[in-house]
């Protein structure tokens, strides 16, 4: 299994579309920061350091946002490409169990997405510093201690956990439909339409059903 995960991890990183989507994620995520640096935003306090770190993670964890769509595209294309190129059949013919192959690909994909979140944090550090200095504010250096590190780690874990259901969903529908189009369409409809609707219905029913609504992607 380790060799399969390593092979899938390397395969994803070698594809140019992964880097293009990461670039787009960092670009779109930081457009408001660039606007702040140009002095065009009225309330830039969310982009001060260290507030920018948790704000960026919160935005990236919104599965129905543009960033969420990029995450879904990566999830679907990483598996859908295997069907489109016919490489999945070759792998299975060589004796690799289907379950092991899909599990390794999903784990590798989740590791790549963790890399995306860490890259977002690294880019946010200098940008947050630039905004804070630009607005003549004091940086809360007291945050950068052991307690602050654990707080940021917890927030990273919560944000990362939020996108995992959407990733698994896109992965599932791509496997069932055996194509990028089917997987993306089904995952998109579920994330944008079905899941918010289910969340509201469960809350409307109240009681036990309202408790279940806490486990929808909308609530997470």
């Amino acid at each position: 299994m380790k060799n399969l995960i390593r092979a899938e991890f390397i395969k994803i990183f070698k594809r140019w579309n992964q880097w293009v989507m990461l670039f787009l994620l960092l670009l779109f995520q930081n457009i408001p920061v660039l606007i702040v640096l140009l002095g065009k935003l009225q309330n830039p306090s969310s982009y001060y350091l260290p507030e920018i770190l948790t704000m960026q993670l919160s935005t990236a964890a919104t599965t129905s946002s543009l960033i969420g769509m990029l995450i879904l595209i990566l999830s679907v294309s990483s598996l859908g490409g295997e069907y489109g190129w016919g490489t999945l059949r070759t792998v299975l013919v060589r004796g690799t169990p289907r379950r092991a192959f899909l599990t390794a690909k999903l784990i590798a994909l989740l590791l790549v997405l963790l890399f995306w979140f860490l890259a977002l944090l690294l880019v946010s550090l200098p940008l947050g510093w630039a905004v804070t200095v630009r607005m003549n504010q004091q940086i809360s250096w007291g945050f950068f201690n052991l307690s602050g590190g654990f707080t940021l780690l917890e927030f990273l874990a919560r944000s990362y956990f939020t996108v995992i259901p959407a990733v698994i969903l896109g992965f599932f529908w791509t496997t069932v439909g055996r194509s990028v189009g089917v997987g993306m369409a089904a995952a998109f409809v579920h994330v944008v339409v079905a899941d918010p609707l289910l969340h509201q219905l469960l809350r409307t029913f109240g009681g036990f059903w309202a408790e279940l609504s806490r486990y929808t992607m909308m609530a997470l």
Side-chain angles (χ1 to χ4, degrees):
M1 179 62 73
K2 289 183 179 179
N3 291 334
L4 286 174
I5 295 173
R6 187 182 300 112
E8 293 301 323
F9 190 70
I10 294 174
K11 187 190 301 182
I12 294 175
F13 268 102
K14 281 187 175 181
R15 291 173 181 166
W16 62 269
N17 62 339
Q18 191 274 144
W19 296 105
V20 170
M21 284 187 282
L22 177 58
F23 171 77
L24 291 175
L25 182 148
L26 296 176
L27 175 64
F28 286 115
Q29 191 78 358
N30 290 294
I31 286 178
V33 184
L34 300 178
I35 295 175
V36 170
L37 291 175
L38 293 174
K40 303 296 183 180
L41 195 65
Q42 296 298 321
N43 185 23
S45 58
S46 297
Y47 301 96
Y48 295 159
L49 193 66
E51 288 83 0
I52 188 175
L53 301 177
T54 53
M55 189 280 300
Q56 293 279 46
L57 288 175
S58 296
T59 308
T62 306
T63 52
S64 59
S65 67
L66 178 61
I67 309 303
M69 289 300 102
L70 288 174
I71 291 175
L72 274 182
I73 291 172
L74 175 67
S75 308
V76 169
S77 62
S78 66
L79 177 60
E82 302 289 352
Y83 291 103
W85 299 325
T87 52
L88 178 59
R89 183 184 300 274
T90 303
V91 171
L92 298 179
V93 166
R94 291 178 178 175
T96 304
R98 181 186 295 268
R99 179 176 297 178
F101 175 76
L102 293 176
T103 301
K105 183 171 281 294
L106 179 59
I107 292 174
L109 176 62
L110 293 176
L111 290 174
V112 171
L113 289 177
L114 179 59
F115 166 75
W116 279 23
F117 274 81
L118 293 175
L120 180 60
L121 284 180
L122 289 176
V123 171
S124 299
L125 281 171
L127 289 175
W129 174 84
V131 170
T132 308
V133 172
R134 170 74 172 76
M135 298 299 167
N136 297 317
Q137 299 295 318
Q138 293 293 324
I139 297 176
S140 303
W141 293 112
F143 176 82
F144 297 94
N145 54 26
L146 186 60
S147 176
F150 278 120
T151 300
L152 184 59
L153 183 62
E154 178 188 2
F155 208 90
L156 172 63
R158 289 166 63 91
S159 302
Y160 179 66
F161 174 75
T162 301
V163 304
I164 290 179
V167 171
I168 295 176
L169 183 69
F171 206 81
F172 168 78
W173 282 114
T174 305
T175 304
V176 172
R178 299 186 178 184
S179 75
V180 174
V182 172
M184 191 63 203
F188 179 83
V189 169
H190 188 97
V191 170
V192 177
V193 180
D195 186 77
L197 180 60
L198 176 64
H199 175 76
Q200 292 300 327
L201 284 175
L202 292 175
R203 287 174 58 87
T204 301
F205 292 152
F208 169 76
W209 301 105
E211 288 297 315
L212 283 182
S213 71
R214 298 170 56 191
Y215 297 95
T216 60
M217 282 186 286
M218 185 77 175
L220 290 173

